[in-house]
């Protein structure tokens, strides 16, 4: 299969590229490098023995998108901006990149006859869960920030496109909290500046690059009072995309599928798991809740098991071990 990965040089895209290359697919990475680095190509070649094609370009460039789509069977659409806090201050940039970018991509797909799309959605579309675990039938529409709303808009746009074009197939993969790194330690999550997300922050505290972790809130209605999330190893997530490829080829219409482990770990549990994996102490302070955070979320991943034949296999210890292996190799 010829598979185009928009945003394929980023965290989740690059790990997915490994699984697809190892499965024998031809992979084209299309990325404007706004949040990634060209050195990823060398690393992918070292890991897989194959060098994917790379096109430096923006998804909002319709002509470049049409060229890139020549001979493509499936698009996996990772490209977008993803920092929740930043999206509150830069809504126009977020809607332009994420929503407008997806519209330009869809228009280019229509013009080139490509009808198969796998989209990076997020558990953020569920907003504050009324019940747990979250199934795909749970209500959406309560996202609390422009980033989350951009994901919801895109899901709805894709549903409309599928209604209008019966030959179109779109899978919205709703990721829970992807963490970890490839076991080689050559690629992983390496945000610029101070990390917003828990795991990259914890990894830098373990490495000594940051002095201590702030734990946002210990008065949530959870077993230890700290936030609970469904953390999933990025390589499990990558496997989920590979399993979605035959599904999107053999079916038409719109579908949403959760990708998570189906169980939650608290912030304190993650700290302890990371300490065990790294052998490093993680100093932390309990501070106020972070605005916009929910207490807990985890999913029911049975639809992915039923329809894609996929379920997560890596444990929280694997996630912390691989994240530390990546972090500790850095200067
Ligand atoms: P990432 O920032 O590492 O990767 C995104 C890639 O897209 C980057 O390489 C960036 O350079 C590229 N990009 C951004 N805007 C672009 C544009 N206009 N044109 C071309 N390329 C562009 O992020 P990630 O963690 O790999 O996330 C991938 C997707 O998954 C995103 O859509 C994100 O919203 C979604 N997602 C991520 C998480 C998470 O926790 N990481 C959770 C849920 C959903
Ligand atoms: N947390 C801390 N200290 C930190 C960072 C995070 O205590 O320095 C806590 C948060 O309060 C939360 C938990 O760790 O309880 C997880 O926080 P993250 O920021 O790692 O992840 P979120 O669940 O807030 O959001 C992430 C992505 C979103 C995505 C969502 C679901 O940032 O883009 O997962 O996939 F939508």
């Amino acid at each position: 299969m010829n598979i185009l990965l928009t945003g394929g040089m980023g965290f989740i895209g690059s790990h997915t590229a490994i699984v697809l290359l190892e499965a024998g697919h031809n992979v084209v990475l299309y990325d404007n490098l706004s949040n990634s680095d060209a050195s990823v190509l060398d690393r992918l070649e070292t890991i897989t023995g194959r060098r994917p094609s790379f096109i430096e370009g923006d998804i909002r460039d319709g002509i470049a998108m049409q060229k890139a789509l020549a001979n493509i069977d499936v698009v996996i659409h990772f490209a977008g901006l993803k920092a929740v806090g930043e999206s509150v201050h830069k809504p126009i940039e977020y809607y332009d990149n994420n929503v407008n970018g997806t519209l330009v991509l869809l228009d280019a797909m229509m013009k080139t006859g490509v009808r198969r799309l796998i989209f990076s959605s997020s558990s953020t579309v569920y907003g504050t869960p009324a019940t747990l675990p979250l199934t795909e039938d749970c209500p959406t529409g309560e996202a609390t920030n422009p980033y989350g709303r951009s994901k919801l808009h895109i899901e709805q746009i894709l549903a409309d496109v599928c209604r209008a074009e019966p030959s179109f197939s779109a899978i919205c993969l709703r990721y829970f909290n992807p963490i970890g790194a490839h076991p080689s330690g050559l690629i992983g999550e390496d945000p610029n500046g101070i990390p917003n997300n828990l795991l990259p922050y914890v990894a830098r505290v373990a490495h000594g690059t940051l002095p201590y972790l702030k734990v946002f809130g210990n008065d949530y209605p959870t077993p230890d009072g700290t936030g609970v999330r469904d953390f999933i190893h990025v390589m499990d997530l990558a496997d989920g995309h590979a399993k979605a490829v035959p599904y999107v080829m053999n079916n038409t219409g719109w579908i949403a599928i959760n990708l998570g482990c189906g169980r939650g770990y608290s912030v304190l549990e993650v700290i302890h798991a990371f300490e065990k994996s790294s052998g490093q102490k993680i100093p932390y302070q309990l501070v106020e809740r972070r605005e916009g955070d929910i207490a807990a979320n985890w999913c029911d991943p049975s639809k992915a098991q039923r329809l894609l034949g996929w379920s997560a296999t890596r444990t929280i210890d694997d996630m912390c071990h691989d994240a530390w292996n990546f972090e500790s190799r850095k200067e």
Side-chain angles (χ1 to χ4, degrees):
M1 216 73 78
N2 294 319
I3 307 179
L4 180 84
L5 275 55
T6 73
M9 300 287 278
F11 173 47
I12 303 170
S14 58
H15 288 80
T16 302
I18 293 174
V19 175
L20 296 175
L21 287 165
E22 287 177 344
H25 295 293
N26 294 320
V27 173
V28 181
L29 308 180
Y30 184 99
D31 200 302
N32 67 2
L33 301 181
S34 60
N35 198 33
S36 49
D37 191 276
S39 65
V40 164
L41 287 174
D42 293 337
R43 293 163 198 243
L44 292 179
E45 191 174 6
T46 305
I47 293 168
T48 66
R50 294 180 64 201
R51 194 172 183 86
S53 308
F54 171 57
I55 300 169
E56 184 171 349
D58 196 296
I59 52 168
R60 293 164 295 179
D61 179 344
I63 302 293
M65 277 296 4
Q66 283 185 52
K67 278 194 198 141
L69 285 164
N71 301 317
I72 291 297
D73 300 303
V74 182
V75 176
I76 310 186
H77 179 31
F78 297 102
L81 302 178
K82 64 164 184 177
V84 173
E86 186 184 61
S87 76
V88 175
H89 304 290
K90 296 182 177 173
I92 299 172
E93 219 173 290
Y94 271 68
Y95 288 121
D96 181 39
N97 239 284
N98 296 4
V99 180
N100 179 39
T102 302
L103 288 173
V104 174
L105 167 65
L106 286 168
D107 182 57
M109 289 176 69
M110 286 303 158
K111 288 179 173 145
T112 50
V114 181
R115 294 282 186 275
R116 302 281 179 260
L117 181 76
I118 298 169
F119 170 60
S120 294
S121 190
S122 167
S123 68
T124 196
V125 299
Y126 294 115
T128 304
T131 52
L132 289 168
L134 287 159
T135 66
E136 292 80 355
D137 301 330
C138 288
T140 59
E142 301 295 324
T144 55
N145 54 73
Y147 166 74
R149 277 189 283 276
S150 78
K151 292 290 175 191
L152 266 171
H153 291 323
I154 297 166
E155 284 206 359
Q156 289 159 355
I157 289 166
L158 292 175
D160 286 337
V161 170
C162 289
R163 272 190 285 270
E165 296 284 336
S167 63
F168 204 92
S169 179
I171 305 185
C172 298
L173 295 177
R174 293 178 176 161
Y175 311 156
F176 280 67
N177 286 57
I179 60 169
H182 188 264
S184 66
L186 289 176
I187 58 167
E189 190 176 15
D190 194 14
N192 292 328
I194 308 278
N196 295 307
N197 296 117
L198 180 63
L199 251 287
Y201 205 109
V202 166
R204 289 191 192 178
V205 172
H207 204 169
T209 333
L210 291 168
Y212 67 93
L213 174 76
K214 289 182 192 153
V215 175
F216 299 134
N218 68 334
D219 56 353
Y220 285 111
T222 59
D224 65 22
T226 65
V228 168
R229 296 290 184 277
D230 187 339
F231 295 98
I232 171 167
H233 196 297
V234 65
M235 289 307 296
D236 275 329
L237 203 63
D239 289 339
H241 290 77
K243 293 267 171 70
V245 168
Y247 187 89
V248 83
M249 289 306 294
N250 296 327
N251 294 276
T252 53
W254 182 95
I255 193 166
I257 299 180
N258 289 336
L259 292 185
C261 289
R263 70 152 289 181
Y265 287 94
S266 74
V267 174
L268 291 183
E269 284 177 310
V270 170
I271 293 172
H272 295 138
F274 206 96
E275 285 182 331
K276 195 172 86 182
S277 295
S278 65
Q280 306 295 314
K281 189 92 195 113
I282 316 282
Y284 66 87
Q285 277 183 16
L286 301 169
V287 301
E288 291 295 295
R289 292 179 180 192
R290 182 171 65 179
E291 203 184 330
D293 271 358
I294 54 173
N297 80 342
W298 65 89
C299 76
D300 175 346
S302 57
K303 190 173 177 183
Q305 169 68 51
R306 199 169 66 249
L307 297 184
L308 308 183
W310 171 90
S311 56
T313 58
R314 283 117 173 144
T315 65
I316 191 78
D317 290 336
D318 297 332
M319 302 177 213
C320 291
H321 176 274
D322 291 336
W324 174 240
N325 183 37
F326 174 70
E327 185 71 24
S328 58
R329 285 162 178 258
K330 289 199 250 159
E331 287 304 309

